Amino acid sequence: MRPSRLAMRPYTCLPCLTRTRPVFPSRGSTLRLAQTPRIASLHNSSRFLQQEQSSAASRPSIAPKPVVDIKHIRQNPDLYAQNCIERNYHQQAAYPHRINDLHAQWQAKQREARSLRERSNILRRQLIDPGSIRDETDTIAAGTQLLTRDELIAEARKLKALLSTIEAEETRILSEIEVLALSIPNLTSAESPRGPEPQVLSLINEHPEPVPSASDRVWRSHVHIGNELGLLDFASAGTTSGWGWYFLLDEAAQLEQALIGYALDLAVRSGWRQVSPPSIVYSHMASACGFQPRDQNGETQIYSLSQSPDDAARGKPELSLAGTSEIPLAGMHANKTLLCPGDMSECSPLKYVAVSRCYRAEAGSRGLETKGLYRVHEFTKVELFGWTYPSLAAASEVFNEIVDLQTDLLSSLGLHCRVLEMPTHDLGASAARKIDIEAFFPSRRERNDGWGEVTSASICTDYQARRLATRLKGEDGKMIEGGYPFTVNGTAMAVPRVVAALLENGWDEETMTVSIPEVLRGWMGGRERIGPRKMKSQKGWGVGV
């Protein structure tokens, strides 16, 4: 297995999921699509069960049909309950045992329905051939020989009505079990620290101000620098779009394109296949990937497009703006079967890299307390997404590759960063393990000692594949062990935050300029520094009040 260059512990199996499976090497045959009929799914896991049931009831017919391992939940209710508590999903912690209670109710209904069907069959036989029932010791058949034809017909009708009621109750119970199971987060990796505190794995580059009190360096926020150099315009964006949007001007706009080009170039040269995905997706696809309309606190997370009354009446699926290209990249293989040609141990993963605009509602105090480019509603991001053989060894190999690529990118940009193993409290529903890289932002020194997230990488095991109905078979057409591929994703470049970090860390108070990292100069016409507007001799229109 390809080791990460980070000084981290080896990735171990998830609790209760340890199996001996083939190691997934980086070379060999590649997963590909099977030409099989599409099957249908949806995942919906909002905070409130009532909302979840409503969403499940309105599931579009074209949505993939989720295939959650409910049997494993029933067999390990304490494991899943504890996992929910550790991840701060306290309401969902009651769901595993509730699922077992509902399963017991369903079994009782099954037995009751079986008895009614047997009685109904006996009545039918008695109507057709009165002499066919001879065993008077059979409790189910008892008394049928004494009934008249009219009484037999009346009882048969009564049994049919009772059976219809029981079957409807069975369907309701199974539906509630599915909703509860879909709401339970993924099992957590043994590598993830339990609780709220992350573990520092390593550092990237030297700290620009290791002893702040002994330094006379003048730090400024990227908002101040952007205004000083005429690179950022938040006021005009506030007029056109509102709070949380921005204009990048001149060198800042060039810097955005330079970062995109640089990240794409490195990813493609590393073997990632470039994709240009859509920015609008079905809402049920976002849910299947673990992105919910509202978070645990009930705050809006994604932008949903309004529907006309006619579209809603026709049952047309709801659309949302993609919060990340992870959603359309995962959805590329929804309702499909991937083939692993040749020896399964020689299959290479499917690896995609995409540039897209991302849309995050992020309403509430988290957004209001953050100014500038750090938390915005729309931004450009280069995303990495991979499908792997269903083993932790295979997923970890791609995961380590993503983290190494992120490290290379940030290191070459000259940013001081720290690599964190994220704790259970910070894991989303889909992630089994997550590593974040935080860069040093001088303007954030009073908040989290200046650290701010710039990249993230996650292993989602088969959480997304099961909810997207993405299966994996061998060339012989048989489902392989596990049956569902693992997914891995990570950020190659979150442009606004990296732009902010480069402006703040590259600022020179004496010359009033910002240094451009050497690796980006080729993407910016060879320019080495960004200077103030007054140094530009070009004359033209101004902006009045």
Side-chain angles (χ1 to χ4, degrees), residues 432-484:
R433 181 189 183 193
K434 186 160 80 89
I435 283 182
D436 282 0
I437 300 182
E438 295 182 338
F440 175 70
F441 291 80
S443 65
R444 294 174 59 85
R445 283 175 295 176
E446 295 181 359
R447 184 187 296 116
N448 199 25
D449 294 327
W451 298 110
E453 177 194 340
V454 287
T455 72
S456 180
S458 301
I459 295 177
C460 297
T461 61
D462 62 1
Y463 182 96
Q464 293 176 328
R466 283 182 172 274
R467 286 157 174 78
L468 291 166
T470 304
R471 292 168 170 82
L472 185 60
K473 293 183 179 180
E475 281 200 322
D476 57 2
K478 296 180 180 179
M479 194 78 72
I480 68 166
E481 183 184 4
Y484 299 89

Side-chain angles (χ1 to χ4, degrees), residues 285-362:
M285 285 294 180
S287 292
C289 293
F291 293 86
Q292 300 306 318
R294 295 182 181 276
D295 65 8
Q296 291 288 93
N297 299 315
E299 293 184 353
T300 301
Q301 294 296 290
I302 62 176
Y303 288 106
S304 297
L305 303 184
S306 61
Q307 285 185 310
S308 68
D310 288 343
D311 285 344
R314 289 197 302 267
K316 189 174 181 179
E318 184 185 69
L319 292 168
S320 298
L321 296 177
T324 167
S325 57
E326 173 190 342
I327 299 169
L329 290 177
M332 282 179 70
H333 299 316
N335 275 343
K336 296 179 183 178
T337 298
L338 300 177
L339 287 181
C340 193
D343 190 319
M344 293 179 187
S345 66
E346 296 178 356
C347 289
S348 292
L350 294 174
K351 300 189 300 183
Y352 299 128
V353 57
V355 181
S356 71
R357 297 292 279 181
C358 303
Y359 302 88
R360 307 281 178 88
E362 293 187 325

